[in-house]
Amino acid sequence: MSSASWHARIVCGSETGAGFLVSERHVLTCAHVVRGSGDAPVTVSFPHRDDLGEVTAAVGAHGGWDGRSDDLGDLAVLELEHAVPVRPAEFAAPEDAYAEPRPRLLVYGFPKGYREGTIAEYRATAAQRIADEWVQLEAWSAHGQPLAPGFSGAAVTLADSNRVVGMVSAATRASSGVRNGRMLPTSVMARYWPPLGDLVPTPGHQRAAKERLRALVERAAVTGVARDPERLYRDAVGPFDPPVPRGGFGSLWSAAWYVLSEVDDPDAVTRLADRLSGLLEAPDPPDPAPPTPGASPAWSPILIEIDHSGAGDDQLLVEVSAYREGLRHPVGSHTLAAGHVRRYVQERVDDAFSHLTPGTDELLAFVLPRALLNWPVAQWECGADDPTPLGCSYPLVVTDRSRHKGGLRHRLTRKWEHLDDRDRPTTTLHRIECGTQEKPNKLRFRLRHDGADLAGFASPPSAERAGPDADVTHFDVSLTAPVPVLLWSRTGCEDTDHGSDMGCTGSDFLDRIAAHVDGHPPAELPRTILTLRESAEASDEPEKHWARDVQLLWDDPRCFPDAPAAHRHSPVA
């Protein structure tokens, strides 16, 4: 039986939970236990090793949990400040939890009044998962310790071997009289953190085949040759094996792990590995385009997501994360008043740079609700000690939240892939003048029929929405057509009813911007707009420069791999 010293107590602000050591520097717990890590320190202690004291930790990886109780990915990986001399937890095969007769499962948690911890006894109700994510737990007996706040993140272990089969993520309220809970089985946890796949046994698959697949997935993630995990999964398993899970696959690894852990056919692993090997070893195209100066950058995005929190009209939820080698790393998340958003973003963006791969091209991407797309985020200062506008220091873009999900995201991905397939992937500005009499539905047809890749607006979105056709605007249909890239001046023409004989600042803006964007590859436009903003800021009268307030909506979905969906209010918490 392995030592119990790997059980951990996690404290983050007012939240106390459990966790377990899986390497000398990594502890697993629930994401909701450390949801306040953007504002409060995270400390880890080991109740069986008081001599180690409290160890500071940081959230190094995240399952994508965003706070809702019915969402997925309530997993956080904590990186300890230093290695600890404790033997890590060992893992059983996931299906061992559902053997007949049902084995007794032990959970070591830290409910109120038990700083040193206490044990609860449970069993798995059935092998069937709820929403393909959770396994239901039921009390071993009518007496004893129930699951309660403080058990979140605790390892669920087999009583006879102390090997881990899952992690507690939720429980029914004690007042209900029902003594049930939920666990994330290790087979699901490994979807969200690839290194766990090396620790969890996968009976039926030879170790060499598993290691080969993992190595190929890592190479493919770096080179970007496998951009459609769902298609690769279907090719490997055929039409009759388990369907793609709810929400799809957030990464190539999650698809590969699903094949390892959920598909009975052992040859599926070989088929997937062979397919990846073929993609990686494929010869270069017969007539490759010669390299040109200023080749399209491989962006490393920092994502700043802002949305209404539901806590009040002035309260916004701000989440900052960074992408590194296709994986998303949470940096901070907080609900705060609109007036405090700028300072919070300044601080968290600065922190996010530590997650980027050195030498890559950074890209700041603000994901905003439609009503806030005209926010002057490019004019926000870099920090308290640096008044340089963010948009003059880094390539900076905005996007609408609706374009980051569902069918719209799928169509947008196809649009970008079609742009890449062109012999010369360059853009042509499609003008949308202020006060245009063209019906929005006619515009949608024209944009789709013409294959528009860049739309420019003479009026900012806020001005158009105030017009007579506010129900569906020209801007709305451009977003959903979808046109890959949109741009406008935040302070463009706001009088949509002026006559044709009057000068139009919006039309003048489109004339000027076209000279800078027509013929440019779409992937380079964030850099092009950065140069324009820098020129405006360096002019004698920056406030009057035509390009000072240019807003670029740019969101190639391939730069922002889907993070797994997540969990907002844990029943345990």
Side-chain angles (χ1 to χ4, degrees):
M1 182 180 294
S2 62
S3 166
S5 298
W6 46 260
H7 289 292
R9 182 174 184 265
I10 316 294
V11 177
C12 178
S14 61
E15 193 83 33
T16 298
F20 52 105
L21 188 75
V22 294
S23 81
E24 62 180 10
R25 290 284 301 272
H26 295 96
V27 170
L28 302 186
T29 188
C30 285
H32 74 257
V33 171
V34 292
R35 58 186 160 190
S37 60
D39 302 300
V42 178
T43 59
V44 178
S45 57
F46 299 90
H48 293 81
R49 290 293 304 272
D50 286 339
D51 57 305
L52 298 178
E54 292 186 342
V55 182
T56 301
V59 178
H62 194 285
W65 182 82
D66 67 2
R68 291 179 296 164
S69 60
D70 60 348
D71 264 344
L72 317 178
D74 192 4
L75 172 72
V77 182
L78 306 184
E79 294 183 2
L80 301 179
E81 186 176 40
H82 57 77
V84 292
V86 175
R87 183 180 176 183
E90 297 180 359
F91 292 82
E95 56 267 31
D96 289 354
Y98 323 118
E100 294 292 349
R102 287 280 190 269
R104 185 165 58 104
L105 304 176
L106 302 182
V107 184
Y108 195 108
F110 303 89
K112 186 175 181 180
Y114 291 90
R115 181 180 178 83
E116 73 287 359
T118 189
I119 295 174
E121 296 177 302
Y122 275 73
R123 63 159 70 82
T125 302
Q128 180 178 345
R129 291 198 293 262
I130 300 170
D132 198 36
E133 180 84 353
W134 305 281
V135 167
Q136 181 168 306
L137 299 176
E138 59 186 32
W140 182 258
S141 68
H143 309 286
Q145 173 67 49
L147 295 179
F151 277 94
S152 292
V156 180
T157 64
L158 298 170
D160 62 354
S161 67
N162 206 30
R163 292 177 181 266
V164 180
V165 292
M167 179 182 74
V168 173
S169 62
T172 54
R173 298 184 185 277
S175 58
S176 69
V178 179
R179 297 161 63 90
N180 288 345
R182 288 182 178 180
M183 77 169 179
L184 278 177
T186 52
S187 56
V188 171
M189 296 167 67
R191 295 181 202 167
Y192 302 120
W193 192 51
L196 191 58
D198 294 335
L199 305 176
V200 177
T202 51
H205 297 293
Q206 295 182 355
R207 183 176 183 85
K210 182 177 176 180
E211 291 176 348
R212 177 186 178 229
L213 180 59
R214 171 72 186 279
L216 289 167
V217 167
E218 289 178 348
R219 287 178 58 198
V222 171
T223 60
V225 300
R227 294 174 176 171
D228 192 342
E230 283 84 3
R231 180 178 296 177
L232 287 167
Y233 172 79
R234 294 188 186 99
D235 289 346
V237 305
F240 304 112
D241 267 300
V244 173
R246 187 183 80 170
F249 296 119
S251 66
L252 178 58
W253 164 252
S254 65
W257 177 254
Y258 207 77
V259 173
L260 281 166
S261 61
E262 306 294 340
V263 179
D264 294 332
D265 180 6
D267 292 336
V269 172
T270 303
R271 288 193 292 269
L272 178 57
D274 288 347
R275 176 62 174 146
L276 288 175
S277 179
L279 290 172
L280 288 165
E281 303 303 329
D284 293 334
D287 294 307
T292 58
S296 297
W299 296 113
S300 289
I302 293 174
L303 207 63
I304 304 102
E305 299 179 87
I306 301 174
D307 199 5
H308 299 289
S309 69
D313 292 341
D314 190 48
Q315 297 295 305
L316 297 173
L317 174 63
V318 184
E319 298 177 285
V320 179
S321 54
Y323 282 92
R324 179 171 181 151
E325 297 178 353
L327 296 178
R328 185 172 170 181
H329 299 268
V331 176
S333 175
H334 199 57
T335 299
L336 64 171
H340 297 153
V341 169
R342 181 187 308 193
R343 181 174 179 181
Y344 181 79
V345 167
Q346 291 168 341
E347 294 171 351
R348 292 297 170 260
V349 164
D350 212 36
D351 295 340
F353 275 93
S354 64
H355 292 276
L356 301 185
T357 302
T360 55
D361 292 292
E362 71 279 355
L363 174 72
L364 302 191
F366 282 79
V367 183
L368 304 170
R370 197 161 301 181
L372 300 182
L373 280 176
N374 212 38
W375 259 22
V377 291
Q379 292 298 323
W380 290 358
E381 300 88 352
C382 286
D385 301 322
D386 183 359
T388 308
L390 282 171
C392 294
S393 295
Y394 314 106
L396 184 151
V397 301
V398 300
T399 185
D400 184 87
R401 291 193 67 86
S402 67
R403 287 167 56 114
H404 270 241
K405 58 187 178 183
L408 186 54
R409 179 185 177 92
H410 178 75
R411 298 202 308 274
L412 196 58
T413 301
R414 291 180 60 187
K415 282 266 191 176
W416 278 96
E417 290 174 345
H418 177 69
L419 288 175
D420 286 349
D421 289 340
R422 293 180 182 174
D423 292 336
R424 295 180 66 250
T426 58
T427 54
T428 301
L429 183 70
H430 286 247
R431 301 170 64 109
I432 300 167
E433 305 286 356
C434 65
T436 177
Q437 298 303 305
E438 185 176 26
K439 297 293 185 182
N441 61 330
K442 297 288 188 182
L443 174 64
R444 179 187 290 111
F445 177 82
R446 179 165 64 89
L447 292 173
R448 288 185 175 178
H449 181 75
D450 295 347
D453 46 40
L454 171 61
F457 292 82
S459 303
S462 56
E464 188 190 15
R465 189 162 293 281
D469 291 326
D471 288 342
V472 178
T473 69
H474 299 90
F475 188 80
D476 292 334
V477 300
S478 300
L479 281 174
T480 59
V483 178
V485 185
L486 284 68
L487 56 77
W488 64 93
S489 172
R490 290 191 312 98
T491 54
C493 183
E494 296 189 357
D495 181 10
T496 59
D497 296 324
H498 63 67
S500 59
D501 58 336
M502 297 179 60
C504 175
T505 57
S507 184
D508 179 63
F509 166 78
L510 293 180
D511 290 341
R512 291 171 178 262
I513 198 73
H516 293 272
V517 299
D518 276 350
H520 278 242
E524 294 182 9
L525 288 178
R527 185 77 69 191
T528 302
I529 299 302
L530 167 64
T531 302
L532 280 175
R533 289 172 177 150
E534 288 177 313
S535 299
E537 190 67 18
S539 67
D540 293 336
E541 295 183 291
E543 300 82 6
K544 297 180 179 180
H545 195 282
W546 68 271
R548 182 177 188 268
D549 292 313
V550 62
Q551 197 87 317
L552 177 66
L553 190 149
W554 184 104
D555 51 4
D556 183 348
R558 300 167 302 175
C559 290
F560 310 100
D562 283 327
H567 232 103
R568 249 178 215 149
H569 299 294
S570 166
V572 171

